[in-house]
Amino acid sequence: TANYTVPESPVDVSDQWLYYWIGLQDLNSAANPVIQPVLSFEGSANLWYFESWNCCPAGHKTAGPQVSISGPGENVYGAMEKTDTGLFKITSTNSKGESSVLLSNDTVSGIVTEWNWAEIVLETYSVESCSMYSAGGQMDMLNMKMVDTDGQPITPVWTYPEPYIGSSYLPPQESAEFQACCNGVFKPSWPDSTMEQNTDAVSFV
């Protein structure tokens, strides 16, 4: 689970997509699907919204209903939890208490044996300039909590995020250049993490 703080909208609003999310995957699964409460910016509509996903490496692409976002600064809540029936429930809740709820049957169907990989992601499409990222936007993932199937707290050990583009990680030199682009900085920590673009005043919580 995590609280998300909605960042600033981009200056250049075009047809880009910005997706901020926490998620779970099974690295031992050949299909390797992902469950994720996704905060989305749709450039063509100049719109933020929140929705739950069960996606896409496995070949299926399923989303719950969209819930509205009032704008930058709003605090929203994302969660993934196992139900008594063995399904996994993905919930994306805005500040008004409206929720996008989706049930994943990947564990029941056998596609997933265990969700063993947690991640914090900024996923983008059709971003062609710095102005198409969030404008000085600080994206906070706060109050993150994780428990195992016995209900015991887990503190993840994050792998430093080399950019993952076109189904492969960038080599070290290109990775450093990519992370320096647009003053983009991301330092995962626990229970709070922060990512930013387009700002010279970078701070972490």
Side-chain angles (χ1 to χ4, degrees), residues 125-136:
Y125 297 91
S126 300
V127 172
E128 299 176 352
S129 67
C130 293
S131 61
M132 296 176 74
Y133 283 117
S134 172

Side-chain angles (χ1 to χ4, degrees), residues 4 36-39 50-53 65-67 76-79 90-94 97-102:
Y4 304 25
Q36 49 194 156
V38 181
L39 174 65
F50 204 20
E51 62 185 335
S52 298
W53 280 89
Q66 298 176 4
V67 293
V76 300
Y77 177 76
I90 309 109
T91 305
S92 306
T93 305
N94 66 12
E98 300 166 334
S99 294
S100 170
V101 178
L102 182 69

